[in-house]
Amino acid sequence: MDFSSLLTSFRGRNLFLPAHGRGIALPRDFKKLLRNAPGAWDLPELPDLGGPFSKSGALVDSQIKSAASVGVDRCWYGVNGATGLLQAALFALLRPGEAVLMPRNVHRSLIQACAVAGFKPVLFNLPFLKDRGHFSSLDKKWLEKVLNQITINGTKVSAAVLVHPTYHGYSCDIASLVDLLHEKGLPVLVDEAHGAYFASCIDREIPKSAISAGADLVVHSLHKSATGISQTAVLWQQGDLVDPNAVQRCIGWTYTSSPSALLLASCEAVLREWNQPEWTRKLKICLIQAKEISKRLKKMGLPLLENQDPLRLILHTAPYGIKGDEADEWLISKGLVAELPEPGCLTFCLGFASQRGLVRSFKSRWEELLLAFPGRNSLDPFLEPCTPLVTAPEIDCGSAWRGTYKSIPLSHACGEISAELICPYPPGIPLVIPGEMLDQKRIDWLVEQKRLWPNQISSELKVVI
């Protein structure tokens, strides 16, 4: 069956992204647009329409209204996903040769931005959860320790990046982190791709958005955590630490010169919906439903892990000796499709469509899965990454990535400098970045990751000559 046919024939339950649930939760205005003749919406930047960088036109007015509705100074719609806007935001924050502070769970797009623009990523470790192999959320005390370490090393950073929430829905007290970084004079970019709906502030139990926490630049994916279609995103800017003109120029570097009118219309429809009572009602129902689903499944004995995003369910398969990819393959055959399979668990995205009947279906499939993989011992605890609290590449990322290299067995790479990014996707979190020097402990850890991610990590590594 060809690609187009598969798109329309899929019948699995919607527990993956985009979060609109295969069109069910799309904004009403956008659904009306799609009812027009196919392709009628596929228009260029006509004078009345304008574009993201025009001085006038409907799109410029739309972005101004969206920024005002959220209470920030500026916003830009994105058609290259959160990736393009994250990269543009970083370009606007730094000059070539400057350093940026980043957590180890940063998305690969920002490492790629460093390689392209000649920035120096200063990476810091996070608390690690050995039972599932995840980085935990960051807190102020940990960040203070990181900043003290940088001071000791004499490293001068010019900006900072935070991730809030993680792919799995782990969150933190984002306001305390932003305040601490601002005290150090650092502008803050927050990758809030998975937390767009946090900006609604309708539920005290959901995390606070980085926008209300005062972050200078915040990127939301509108298809991951709102009701936009794939590739839609928005970048918000506020405060005096970042020049909005610099942001606008840099967005042009990562933006197509022929943006899709359909994607731009999706951005507008999502953000306009946020201000309507219908969205508040819909979101409240989704959150109530999600909390009830989690509560009932836990009561039935399903091993769901705690997180701070009620729209994410993390099924912990490791205690039952079942690898996440094994469980994923089996569940897909039964029509239950996860968003993120990993060595020790599966993450499901409930999204904004109704999940009626999910509890019964989920419980039934879990019981069948245990019968399909009987009598297994619990998986061993996952090895914590053996990197210093704070570290930076030995040589420039871009030079390592674009320079001369040779391929050698991963197990023989001790003392070598990586010329490539090792990054299982999803989740898209780098295990090694170009320019990093590898010692034996790191190699042993990477060999173990190769065992856990056999189809994602090569047995060979490109190293700098």
Side-chain angles (χ1 to χ4, degrees), residues 3-50:
F3 182 76
S4 298
S5 300
L6 282 170
L7 288 178
T8 55
S9 65
F10 179 78
R11 294 292 180 267
R13 184 178 271 276
N14 298 315
L15 295 171
F16 49 85
L17 301 176
H20 58 67
R22 306 202 77 205
I24 295 171
L26 287 171
R28 182 178 297 176
D29 290 349
F30 192 67
K31 287 183 178 180
K32 289 179 181 178
L33 176 65
L34 295 178
R35 293 191 192 109
N36 291 325
W41 38 260
D42 200 8
L43 297 172
E45 297 179 20
L46 299 172
D48 287 346
L49 294 174

mmCIF file of all heavy atoms in Angstrom, residues 3-50:
data_model
loop_
_atom_site.group_PDB
_atom_site.id
_atom_site.type_symbol
_atom_site.label_atom_id
_atom_site.label_comp_id
_atom_site.label_asym_id
_atom_site.label_seq_id
_atom_site.Cartn_x
_atom_site.Cartn_y
_atom_site.Cartn_z
ATOM 1 N N PHE A 3 1.967 5.437 0.378
ATOM 2 C CA PHE A 3 1.947 6.353 1.511
ATOM 3 C C PHE A 3 0.589 7.037 1.663
ATOM 4 O O PHE A 3 0.017 7.088 2.754
ATOM 5 C CB PHE A 3 3.058 7.396 1.322
ATOM 6 C CG PHE A 3 3.188 8.377 2.457
ATOM 7 C CD1 PHE A 3 3.782 8.005 3.644
ATOM 8 C CD2 PHE A 3 2.718 9.671 2.329
ATOM 9 C CE1 PHE A 3 3.907 8.903 4.692
ATOM 10 C CE2 PHE A 3 2.834 10.578 3.367
ATOM 11 C CZ PHE A 3 3.437 10.191 4.547
ATOM 12 N N SER A 4 0.062 7.575 0.570
ATOM 13 C CA SER A 4 -1.208 8.299 0.632
ATOM 14 C C SER A 4 -2.336 7.402 1.105
ATOM 15 O O SER A 4 -3.194 7.819 1.900
ATOM 16 C CB SER A 4 -1.545 8.897 -0.739
ATOM 17 O OG SER A 4 -0.563 9.822 -1.132
ATOM 18 N N SER A 5 -2.352 6.166 0.634
ATOM 19 C CA SER A 5 -3.400 5.235 1.043
ATOM 20 C C SER A 5 -3.310 4.903 2.521
ATOM 21 O O SER A 5 -4.323 4.797 3.221
ATOM 22 C CB SER A 5 -3.327 3.950 0.210
ATOM 23 O OG SER A 5 -3.490 4.222 -1.157
ATOM 24 N N LEU A 6 -2.071 4.751 3.006
ATOM 25 C CA LEU A 6 -1.887 4.443 4.420
ATOM 26 C C LEU A 6 -2.375 5.583 5.315
ATOM 27 O O LEU A 6 -2.909 5.344 6.403
ATOM 28 C CB LEU A 6 -0.400 4.172 4.708
ATOM 29 C CG LEU A 6 0.124 2.796 4.288
ATOM 30 C CD1 LEU A 6 1.633 2.744 4.407
ATOM 31 C CD2 LEU A 6 -0.509 1.701 5.139
ATOM 32 N N LEU A 7 -2.236 6.820 4.836
ATOM 33 C CA LEU A 7 -2.674 7.958 5.634
ATOM 34 C C LEU A 7 -4.165 7.890 5.949
ATOM 35 O O LEU A 7 -4.606 8.266 7.037
ATOM 36 C CB LEU A 7 -2.375 9.271 4.890
ATOM 37 C CG LEU A 7 -0.912 9.703 4.788
ATOM 38 C CD1 LEU A 7 -0.808 10.997 3.988
ATOM 39 C CD2 LEU A 7 -0.302 9.893 6.169
ATOM 40 N N THR A 8 -4.940 7.429 4.996
ATOM 41 C CA THR A 8 -6.393 7.409 5.168
ATOM 42 C C THR A 8 -6.913 6.084 5.702
ATOM 43 O O THR A 8 -8.050 6.008 6.167
ATOM 44 C CB THR A 8 -7.097 7.715 3.834
ATOM 45 O OG1 THR A 8 -6.644 6.786 2.829
ATOM 46 C CG2 THR A 8 -6.767 9.126 3.367
ATOM 47 N N SER A 9 -6.086 5.044 5.667
ATOM 48 C CA SER A 9 -6.566 3.723 6.079
ATOM 49 C C SER A 9 -6.273 3.410 7.547
ATOM 50 O O SER A 9 -6.808 2.445 8.097
ATOM 51 C CB SER A 9 -5.928 2.632 5.210
ATOM 52 O OG SER A 9 -4.520 2.579 5.415
ATOM 53 N N PHE A 10 -5.431 4.217 8.209
ATOM 54 C CA PHE A 10 -5.036 3.926 9.589
ATOM 55 C C PHE A 10 -6.249 3.949 10.514
ATOM 56 O O PHE A 10 -7.061 4.875 10.471
ATOM 57 C CB PHE A 10 -3.986 4.929 10.067
ATOM 58 C CG PHE A 10 -3.551 4.693 11.488
ATOM 59 C CD1 PHE A 10 -2.656 3.688 11.788
ATOM 60 C CD2 PHE A 10 -4.068 5.448 12.523
ATOM 61 C CE1 PHE A 10 -2.264 3.444 13.091
ATOM 62 C CE2 PHE A 10 -3.689 5.223 13.831
ATOM 63 C CZ PHE A 10 -2.784 4.222 14.110
ATOM 64 N N ARG A 11 -6.348 2.943 11.377
ATOM 65 C CA ARG A 11 -7.512 2.831 12.264
ATOM 66 C C ARG A 11 -7.140 2.728 13.742
ATOM 67 O O ARG A 11 -7.962 2.388 14.569
ATOM 68 C CB ARG A 11 -8.346 1.594 11.869
ATOM 69 C CG ARG A 11 -8.996 1.705 10.499
ATOM 70 C CD ARG A 11 -10.078 2.780 10.490
ATOM 71 N NE ARG A 11 -10.705 2.900 9.189
ATOM 72 C CZ ARG A 11 -10.337 3.739 8.241
ATOM 73 N NH1 ARG A 11 -9.311 4.564 8.459
ATOM 74 N NH2 ARG A 11 -10.945 3.800 7.086
ATOM 75 N N GLY A 12 -5.903 3.000 14.092
ATOM 76 C CA GLY A 12 -5.487 2.903 15.488
ATOM 77 C C GLY A 12 -6.087 4.004 16.345
ATOM 78 O O GLY A 12 -6.511 5.048 15.850
ATOM 79 N N ARG A 13 -6.120 3.765 17.656
ATOM 80 C CA ARG A 13 -6.627 4.780 18.587
ATOM 81 C C ARG A 13 -5.646 5.950 18.647
ATOM 82 O O ARG A 13 -4.437 5.766 18.620
ATOM 83 C CB ARG A 13 -6.818 4.165 19.963
ATOM 84 C CG ARG A 13 -7.437 5.113 20.975
ATOM 85 C CD ARG A 13 -7.639 4.445 22.299
ATOM 86 N NE ARG A 13 -8.931 3.780 22.404
ATOM 87 C CZ ARG A 13 -10.064 4.381 22.754
ATOM 88 N NH1 ARG A 13 -10.065 5.678 22.985
ATOM 89 N NH2 ARG A 13 -11.172 3.702 22.865
ATOM 90 N N ASN A 14 -6.169 7.175 18.748
ATOM 91 C CA ASN A 14 -5.352 8.385 18.712
ATOM 92 C C ASN A 14 -4.688 8.650 20.060
ATOM 93 O O ASN A 14 -5.194 9.404 20.885
ATOM 94 C CB ASN A 14 -6.225 9.582 18.322
ATOM 95 C CG ASN A 14 -6.825 9.436 16.939
ATOM 96 O OD1 ASN A 14 -6.146 9.051 15.993
ATOM 97 N ND2 ASN A 14 -8.103 9.723 16.815
ATOM 98 N N LEU A 15 -3.522 8.045 20.277
ATOM 99 C CA LEU A 15 -2.750 8.253 21.494
ATOM 100 C C LEU A 15 -1.357 8.759 21.150
ATOM 101 O O LEU A 15 -0.376 8.451 21.815
ATOM 102 C CB LEU A 15 -2.673 6.963 22.301
ATOM 103 C CG LEU A 15 -4.017 6.472 22.847
ATOM 104 C CD1 LEU A 15 -3.883 5.084 23.445
ATOM 105 C CD2 LEU A 15 -4.579 7.454 23.872
ATOM 106 N N PHE A 16 -1.283 9.518 20.071
ATOM 107 C CA PHE A 16 -0.023 10.033 19.565
ATOM 108 C C PHE A 16 -0.282 11.423 19.013
ATOM 109 O O PHE A 16 -1.417 11.893 18.925
ATOM 110 C CB PHE A 16 0.541 9.105 18.473
ATOM 111 C CG PHE A 16 -0.475 8.731 17.421
ATOM 112 C CD1 PHE A 16 -0.715 9.552 16.331
ATOM 113 C CD2 PHE A 16 -1.214 7.556 17.534
ATOM 114 C CE1 PHE A 16 -1.664 9.223 15.379
ATOM 115 C CE2 PHE A 16 -2.158 7.213 16.575
ATOM 116 C CZ PHE A 16 -2.385 8.050 15.496
ATOM 117 N N LEU A 17 0.787 12.108 18.633
ATOM 118 C CA LEU A 17 0.678 13.444 18.065
ATOM 119 C C LEU A 17 0.469 13.376 16.557
ATOM 120 O O LEU A 17 0.862 12.405 15.937
ATOM 121 C CB LEU A 17 1.956 14.232 18.388
ATOM 122 C CG LEU A 17 2.269 14.378 19.878
ATOM 123 C CD1 LEU A 17 3.596 15.094 20.085
ATOM 124 C CD2 LEU A 17 1.153 15.097 20.614
ATOM 125 N N PRO A 18 -0.174 14.406 15.967
ATOM 126 C CA PRO A 18 -0.628 15.673 16.535
ATOM 127 C C PRO A 18 -1.771 15.505 17.541
ATOM 128 O O PRO A 18 -2.529 14.532 17.478
ATOM 129 C CB PRO A 18 -1.106 16.468 15.321
ATOM 130 C CG PRO A 18 -0.488 15.814 14.141
ATOM 131 C CD PRO A 18 -0.365 14.363 14.506
ATOM 132 N N ALA A 19 -1.890 16.496 18.421
ATOM 133 C CA ALA A 19 -2.812 16.387 19.544
ATOM 134 C C ALA A 19 -4.265 16.667 19.181
ATOM 135 O O ALA A 19 -5.137 16.547 20.040
ATOM 136 C CB ALA A 19 -2.376 17.344 20.653
ATOM 137 N N HIS A 20 -4.531 17.011 17.914
ATOM 138 C CA HIS A 20 -5.925 17.261 17.517
ATOM 139 C C HIS A 20 -6.707 15.976 17.265
ATOM 140 O O HIS A 20 -7.893 16.022 16.936
ATOM 141 C CB HIS A 20 -5.999 18.180 16.294
ATOM 142 C CG HIS A 20 -5.267 17.685 15.077
ATOM 143 N ND1 HIS A 20 -5.647 16.562 14.378
ATOM 144 C CD2 HIS A 20 -4.183 18.167 14.425
ATOM 145 C CE1 HIS A 20 -4.834 16.381 13.351
ATOM 146 N NE2 HIS A 20 -3.932 17.342 13.368
ATOM 147 N N GLY A 21 -6.045 14.823 17.444
ATOM 148 C CA GLY A 21 -6.763 13.546 17.337
ATOM 149 C C GLY A 21 -7.300 13.266 15.952
ATOM 150 O O GLY A 21 -8.480 12.962 15.780
ATOM 151 N N ARG A 22 -6.410 13.397 14.932
ATOM 152 C CA ARG A 22 -6.765 13.135 13.531
ATOM 153 C C ARG A 22 -7.964 13.995 13.092
ATOM 154 O O ARG A 22 -8.859 13.541 12.386
ATOM 155 C CB ARG A 22 -7.032 11.656 13.282
ATOM 156 C CG ARG A 22 -5.883 10.751 13.739
ATOM 157 C CD ARG A 22 -5.899 9.414 13.035
ATOM 158 N NE ARG A 22 -5.387 9.520 11.683
ATOM 159 C CZ ARG A 22 -5.699 8.678 10.692
ATOM 160 N NH1 ARG A 22 -6.572 7.712 10.912
ATOM 161 N NH2 ARG A 22 -5.190 8.829 9.498
ATOM 162 N N GLY A 23 -7.928 15.256 13.515
ATOM 163 C CA GLY A 23 -8.895 16.226 13.041
ATOM 164 C C GLY A 23 -10.074 16.474 13.952
ATOM 165 O O GLY A 23 -10.787 17.476 13.800
ATOM 166 N N ILE A 24 -10.292 15.598 14.912
ATOM 167 C CA ILE A 24 -11.480 15.710 15.770
ATOM 168 C C ILE A 24 -11.478 17.019 16.552
ATOM 169 O O ILE A 24 -12.506 17.691 16.679
ATOM 170 C CB ILE A 24 -11.554 14.504 16.732
ATOM 171 C CG1 ILE A 24 -11.758 13.209 15.941
ATOM 172 C CG2 ILE A 24 -12.686 14.694 17.744
ATOM 173 C CD1 ILE A 24 -11.620 11.954 16.775
ATOM 174 N N ALA A 25 -10.318 17.419 17.082
ATOM 175 C CA ALA A 25 -10.254 18.591 17.955
ATOM 176 C C ALA A 25 -9.722 19.837 17.248
ATOM 177 O O ALA A 25 -9.368 20.814 17.905
ATOM 178 C CB ALA A 25 -9.389 18.279 19.172
ATOM 179 N N LEU A 26 -9.662 19.832 15.929
ATOM 180 C CA LEU A 26 -9.227 21.030 15.220
ATOM 181 C C LEU A 26 -10.166 22.200 15.534
ATOM 182 O O LEU A 26 -11.370 22.001 15.742
ATOM 183 C CB LEU A 26 -9.218 20.791 13.716
ATOM 184 C CG LEU A 26 -8.103 19.899 13.148
ATOM 185 C CD1 LEU A 26 -8.370 19.599 11.686
ATOM 186 C CD2 LEU A 26 -6.736 20.557 13.323
ATOM 187 N N PRO A 27 -9.646 23.429 15.552
ATOM 188 C CA PRO A 27 -10.517 24.583 15.789
ATOM 189 C C PRO A 27 -11.646 24.666 14.764
ATOM 190 O O PRO A 27 -11.457 24.309 13.591
ATOM 191 C CB PRO A 27 -9.565 25.777 15.652
ATOM 192 C CG PRO A 27 -8.216 25.227 15.958
ATOM 193 C CD PRO A 27 -8.235 23.825 15.435
ATOM 194 N N ARG A 28 -12.790 25.141 15.193
ATOM 195 C CA ARG A 28 -13.963 25.199 14.317
ATOM 196 C C ARG A 28 -13.689 26.039 13.065
ATOM 197 O O ARG A 28 -14.063 25.656 11.955
ATOM 198 C CB ARG A 28 -15.142 25.777 15.093
ATOM 199 C CG ARG A 28 -16.431 25.832 14.286
ATOM 200 C CD ARG A 28 -17.574 26.374 15.123
ATOM 201 N NE ARG A 28 -17.858 25.494 16.255
ATOM 202 C CZ ARG A 28 -18.762 25.780 17.200
ATOM 203 N NH1 ARG A 28 -19.438 26.926 17.144
ATOM 204 N NH2 ARG A 28 -18.982 24.940 18.182
ATOM 205 N N ASP A 29 -13.030 27.195 13.230
ATOM 206 C CA ASP A 29 -12.747 28.057 12.082
ATOM 207 C C ASP A 29 -11.873 27.343 11.057
ATOM 208 O O ASP A 29 -12.036 27.525 9.844
ATOM 209 C CB ASP A 29 -12.044 29.341 12.531
ATOM 210 C CG ASP A 29 -12.958 30.268 13.301
ATOM 211 O OD1 ASP A 29 -14.183 30.017 13.302
ATOM 212 O OD2 ASP A 29 -12.450 31.229 13.900
ATOM 213 N N PHE A 30 -10.937 26.543 11.541
ATOM 214 C CA PHE A 30 -10.035 25.845 10.626
ATOM 215 C C PHE A 30 -10.772 24.718 9.902
ATOM 216 O O PHE A 30 -10.523 24.460 8.721
ATOM 217 C CB PHE A 30 -8.841 25.292 11.403
ATOM 218 C CG PHE A 30 -7.724 24.808 10.521
ATOM 219 C CD1 PHE A 30 -6.997 25.701 9.756
ATOM 220 C CD2 PHE A 30 -7.410 23.458 10.450
ATOM 221 C CE1 PHE A 30 -5.959 25.265 8.932
ATOM 222 C CE2 PHE A 30 -6.386 23.011 9.638
ATOM 223 C CZ PHE A 30 -5.658 23.921 8.878
ATOM 224 N N LYS A 31 -11.685 24.054 10.583
ATOM 225 C CA LYS A 31 -12.485 23.023 9.929
ATOM 226 C C LYS A 31 -13.306 23.624 8.786
ATOM 227 O O LYS A 31 -13.471 23.010 7.726
ATOM 228 C CB LYS A 31 -13.402 22.340 10.940
ATOM 229 C CG LYS A 31 -12.701 21.391 11.904
ATOM 230 C CD LYS A 31 -13.712 20.711 12.815
ATOM 231 C CE LYS A 31 -13.042 19.718 13.755
ATOM 232 N NZ LYS A 31 -14.020 19.043 14.646
ATOM 233 N N LYS A 32 -13.824 24.845 8.988
ATOM 234 C CA LYS A 32 -14.583 25.518 7.935
ATOM 235 C C LYS A 32 -13.702 25.766 6.714
ATOM 236 O O LYS A 32 -14.139 25.585 5.566
ATOM 237 C CB LYS A 32 -15.138 26.841 8.448
ATOM 238 C CG LYS A 32 -16.266 26.709 9.458
ATOM 239 C CD LYS A 32 -16.734 28.092 9.916
ATOM 240 C CE LYS A 32 -17.841 27.992 10.945
ATOM 241 N NZ LYS A 32 -18.264 29.339 11.439
ATOM 242 N N LEU A 33 -12.471 26.174 6.953
ATOM 243 C CA LEU A 33 -11.534 26.419 5.859
ATOM 244 C C LEU A 33 -11.307 25.137 5.048
ATOM 245 O O LEU A 33 -11.280 25.164 3.804
ATOM 246 C CB LEU A 33 -10.209 26.933 6.419
ATOM 247 C CG LEU A 33 -9.069 27.148 5.421
ATOM 248 C CD1 LEU A 33 -9.426 28.256 4.436
ATOM 249 C CD2 LEU A 33 -7.774 27.491 6.148
ATOM 250 N N LEU A 34 -11.175 24.014 5.728
ATOM 251 C CA LEU A 34 -10.897 22.750 5.045
ATOM 252 C C LEU A 34 -12.095 22.231 4.250
ATOM 253 O O LEU A 34 -11.932 21.343 3.415
ATOM 254 C CB LEU A 34 -10.459 21.698 6.062
ATOM 255 C CG LEU A 34 -9.135 21.976 6.793
ATOM 256 C CD1 LEU A 34 -8.840 20.884 7.798
ATOM 257 C CD2 LEU A 34 -7.985 22.103 5.806
ATOM 258 N N ARG A 35 -13.279 22.777 4.504
ATOM 259 C CA ARG A 35 -14.453 22.336 3.751
ATOM 260 C C ARG A 35 -14.530 22.991 2.367
ATOM 261 O O ARG A 35 -15.332 22.578 1.531
ATOM 262 C CB ARG A 35 -15.741 22.660 4.526
ATOM 263 C CG ARG A 35 -15.890 21.857 5.816
ATOM 264 C CD ARG A 35 -17.282 22.013 6.410
ATOM 265 N NE ARG A 35 -17.326 21.475 7.763
ATOM 266 C CZ ARG A 35 -17.429 22.221 8.863
ATOM 267 N NH1 ARG A 35 -17.519 23.546 8.746
ATOM 268 N NH2 ARG A 35 -17.462 21.668 10.055
ATOM 269 N N ASN A 36 -13.697 24.004 2.130
ATOM 270 C CA ASN A 36 -13.671 24.645 0.822
ATOM 271 C C ASN A 36 -13.079 23.696 -0.223
ATOM 272 O O ASN A 36 -12.544 22.634 0.107
ATOM 273 C CB ASN A 36 -12.856 25.935 0.877
ATOM 274 C CG ASN A 36 -13.542 26.998 1.691
ATOM 275 O OD1 ASN A 36 -14.774 27.092 1.682
ATOM 276 N ND2 ASN A 36 -12.773 27.804 2.413
ATOM 277 N N ALA A 37 -13.150 24.099 -1.465
ATOM 278 C CA ALA A 37 -12.593 23.282 -2.548
ATOM 279 C C ALA A 37 -11.122 22.979 -2.264
ATOM 280 O O ALA A 37 -10.379 23.868 -1.817
ATOM 281 C CB ALA A 37 -12.734 24.010 -3.874
ATOM 282 N N PRO A 38 -10.675 21.743 -2.505
ATOM 283 C CA PRO A 38 -9.274 21.392 -2.236
ATOM 284 C C PRO A 38 -8.310 22.366 -2.914
ATOM 285 O O PRO A 38 -8.427 22.635 -4.109
ATOM 286 C CB PRO A 38 -9.152 19.987 -2.837
ATOM 287 C CG PRO A 38 -10.531 19.437 -2.799
ATOM 288 C CD PRO A 38 -11.439 20.601 -3.048
ATOM 289 N N GLY A 39 -7.382 22.898 -2.134
ATOM 290 C CA GLY A 39 -6.382 23.809 -2.676
ATOM 291 C C GLY A 39 -6.819 25.259 -2.756
ATOM 292 O O GLY A 39 -5.993 26.124 -3.084
ATOM 293 N N ALA A 40 -8.069 25.556 -2.445
ATOM 294 C CA ALA A 40 -8.536 26.943 -2.539
ATOM 295 C C ALA A 40 -7.783 27.854 -1.574
ATOM 296 O O ALA A 40 -7.656 29.057 -1.815
ATOM 297 C CB ALA A 40 -10.034 26.998 -2.252
ATOM 298 N N TRP A 41 -7.293 27.282 -0.506
ATOM 299 C CA TRP A 41 -6.577 28.041 0.516
ATOM 300 C C TRP A 41 -5.094 28.214 0.187
ATOM 301 O O TRP A 41 -4.371 28.914 0.891
ATOM 302 C CB TRP A 41 -6.707 27.343 1.870
ATOM 303 C CG TRP A 41 -6.644 25.845 1.765
ATOM 304 C CD1 TRP A 41 -7.691 24.978 1.769
ATOM 305 C CD2 TRP A 41 -5.466 25.041 1.595
ATOM 306 N NE1 TRP A 41 -7.248 23.678 1.623
ATOM 307 C CE2 TRP A 41 -5.875 23.694 1.506
ATOM 308 C CE3 TRP A 41 -4.112 25.322 1.499
ATOM 309 C CZ2 TRP A 41 -4.986 22.639 1.327
ATOM 310 C CZ3 TRP A 41 -3.216 24.278 1.326
ATOM 311 C CH2 TRP A 41 -3.666 22.949 1.242
ATOM 312 N N ASP A 42 -4.609 27.568 -0.863
ATOM 313 C CA ASP A 42 -3.174 27.554 -1.162
ATOM 314 C C ASP A 42 -2.787 28.812 -1.945
ATOM 315 O O ASP A 42 -2.595 28.786 -3.162
ATOM 316 C CB ASP A 42 -2.815 26.295 -1.943
ATOM 317 C CG ASP A 42 -1.334 25.969 -1.874
ATOM 318 O OD1 ASP A 42 -0.621 26.634 -1.095
ATOM 319 O OD2 ASP A 42 -0.886 25.055 -2.589
ATOM 320 N N LEU A 43 -2.650 29.916 -1.212
ATOM 321 C CA LEU A 43 -2.408 31.218 -1.819
ATOM 322 C C LEU A 43 -1.040 31.769 -1.419
ATOM 323 O O LEU A 43 -0.531 31.460 -0.337
ATOM 324 C CB LEU A 43 -3.490 32.217 -1.392
ATOM 325 C CG LEU A 43 -4.928 31.886 -1.834
ATOM 326 C CD1 LEU A 43 -5.900 32.857 -1.172
ATOM 327 C CD2 LEU A 43 -5.045 31.947 -3.355
ATOM 328 N N PRO A 44 -0.443 32.614 -2.267
ATOM 329 C CA PRO A 44 0.828 33.254 -1.913
ATOM 330 C C PRO A 44 0.586 34.460 -1.010
ATOM 331 O O PRO A 44 -0.553 34.716 -0.592
ATOM 332 C CB PRO A 44 1.378 33.690 -3.273
ATOM 333 C CG PRO A 44 0.144 34.000 -4.069
ATOM 334 C CD PRO A 44 -0.886 32.986 -3.624
ATOM 335 N N GLU A 45 1.637 35.217 -0.752
ATOM 336 C CA GLU A 45 1.533 36.386 0.119
ATOM 337 C C GLU A 45 0.964 37.577 -0.656
ATOM 338 O O GLU A 45 1.669 38.539 -0.967
ATOM 339 C CB GLU A 45 2.898 36.707 0.730
ATOM 340 C CG GLU A 45 3.429 35.597 1.621
ATOM 341 C CD GLU A 45 4.802 35.912 2.198
ATOM 342 O OE1 GLU A 45 5.186 37.092 2.229
ATOM 343 O OE2 GLU A 45 5.498 34.971 2.614
ATOM 344 N N LEU A 46 -0.328 37.500 -0.963
ATOM 345 C CA LEU A 46 -1.001 38.585 -1.657
ATOM 346 C C LEU A 46 -1.032 39.830 -0.763
ATOM 347 O O LEU A 46 -0.947 39.713 0.462
ATOM 348 C CB LEU A 46 -2.415 38.156 -2.033
ATOM 349 C CG LEU A 46 -2.511 36.934 -2.977
ATOM 350 C CD1 LEU A 46 -3.961 36.494 -3.125
ATOM 351 C CD2 LEU A 46 -1.884 37.240 -4.321
ATOM 352 N N PRO A 47 -1.164 41.034 -1.359
ATOM 353 C CA PRO A 47 -1.090 42.275 -0.547
ATOM 354 C C PRO A 47 -2.007 42.285 0.664
ATOM 355 O O PRO A 47 -1.579 42.693 1.756
ATOM 356 C CB PRO A 47 -1.477 43.357 -1.568
ATOM 357 C CG PRO A 47 -1.021 42.804 -2.886
ATOM 358 C CD PRO A 47 -1.271 41.331 -2.802
ATOM 359 N N ASP A 48 -3.246 41.869 0.502
ATOM 360 C CA ASP A 48 -4.161 41.890 1.644
ATOM 361 C C ASP A 48 -3.801 40.850 2.704
ATOM 362 O O ASP A 48 -4.043 41.052 3.899
ATOM 363 C CB ASP A 48 -5.601 41.642 1.176
ATOM 364 C CG ASP A 48 -6.180 42.838 0.443
ATOM 365 O OD1 ASP A 48 -5.581 43.926 0.528
ATOM 366 O OD2 ASP A 48 -7.216 42.678 -0.217
ATOM 367 N N LEU A 49 -3.231 39.722 2.255
ATOM 368 C CA LEU A 49 -2.861 38.662 3.192
ATOM 369 C C LEU A 49 -1.570 38.986 3.929
ATOM 370 O O LEU A 49 -1.468 38.835 5.146
ATOM 371 C CB LEU A 49 -2.710 37.337 2.453
ATOM 372 C CG LEU A 49 -3.966 36.725 1.842
ATOM 373 C CD1 LEU A 49 -3.605 35.491 1.028
ATOM 374 C CD2 LEU A 49 -4.963 36.365 2.938
ATOM 375 N N GLY A 50 -0.557 39.393 3.178
ATOM 376 C CA GLY A 50 0.751 39.630 3.766
ATOM 377 C C GLY A 50 1.414 38.328 4.184
ATOM 378 O O GLY A 50 0.920 37.231 3.896
#
